[in-house]
């Protein structure tokens, strides 16, 4: 699914073509493509002209922002966030997405807690991770202000709501 999403960003590769490529090349699609793009000529519907466009696009996919954009696509996020993330974290952008998505959510507008959660699940970060808990509480406070006008929730209610939102026990949300 992630491979297909990324392939559809290439010119001339739509959903059905991407599915055919993955059907033929499997999980090793990127390995094959990075070694020899001519293998795509074996896929029905890929001709020399299409391959030339694909090759040109593939060359552009090696820079820092391109790698970041690809990582965003892999988790179903908007690749339009790549420039903002790169501006904030530079060469450490992909590492920050994978290891500290909640720090990215704090620093990059439009990234948000929900997207950080996608990266957490994709990379296996512990649900009780302190960065996640802190970010979840901050997000809870922001959404509580917007949703019901509260600007000051009692600590017990914050713990209970945070525990529910994060799927944790109240003692973990209290740390």
């Amino acid at each position: 699914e992630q491979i297909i999403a990324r392939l559809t960003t290439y010119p001339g590769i739509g959903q059905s073509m991407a599915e055919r490529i993955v059907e033929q090349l499997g999980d090793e699609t990127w390995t094959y493509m990075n070694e020899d793009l001519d293998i795509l000529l074996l896929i029905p519907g890929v001709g020399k002209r299409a391959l030339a466009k694909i090759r040109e696009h593939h060359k552009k996919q090696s820079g820092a922002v391109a790698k970041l954009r690809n990582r965003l696509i892999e988790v179903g996020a908007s690749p339009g966030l790549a420039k903002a993330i790169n501006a904030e974290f530079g060469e450490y952008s992909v590492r920050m997405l994978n290891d500290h998505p909640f720090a990215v959510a704090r620093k990059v507008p439009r990234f948000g807690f929900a997207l950080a959660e996608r990266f957490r699940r994709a990379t296996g970060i512990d649900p009780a991770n302190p960065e996640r808990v802190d970010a979840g509480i901050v997000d809870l406070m922001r959404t509580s202000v917007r949703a019901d006008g509260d600007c000051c929730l009692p600590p017990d209610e914050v713990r209970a709501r945070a525990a529910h939102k994060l799927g944790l026990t109240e003692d973990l949300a209290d740390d």
Side-chain angles (χ1 to χ4, degrees), residues 31-93:
T31 302
Y32 286 119
M33 288 182 64
N34 289 328
E35 289 175 2
D36 184 12
L37 282 171
D38 287 341
I39 196 164
L40 294 178
L41 292 171
L42 300 174
I43 309 297
V46 177
K48 290 184 179 185
R49 264 191 296 188
L51 182 61
K53 291 178 184 176
I54 292 168
R55 190 180 311 281
E56 185 63 32
H57 183 78
H58 194 69
K59 286 179 188 174
K60 295 177 185 175
Q61 298 305 306
S62 60
V65 175
K67 287 180 183 175
L68 184 55
R69 206 173 22 249
N70 290 337
R71 183 64 182 123
L72 288 162
I73 291 167
E74 287 171 3
V75 297
S78 169
L81 291 167
K83 287 183 182 176
I85 295 168
N86 190 62
E88 185 67 41
F89 299 106
E91 67 183 273
Y92 302 103
S93 295

Side-chain angles (χ1 to χ4, degrees), residues 2 5 9 16 18 35 44-45 49 64 89 94 96 124-125 143 146-147 157 170 172:
Q2 295 169 350
T9 67
S16 61
E35 289 175 2
R49 264 191 296 188
F89 299 106
V94 173
M96 290 299 292
I125 294 173
T143 56
R146 286 190 211 128
E157 190 169 344
E170 285 190 35
L172 287 172

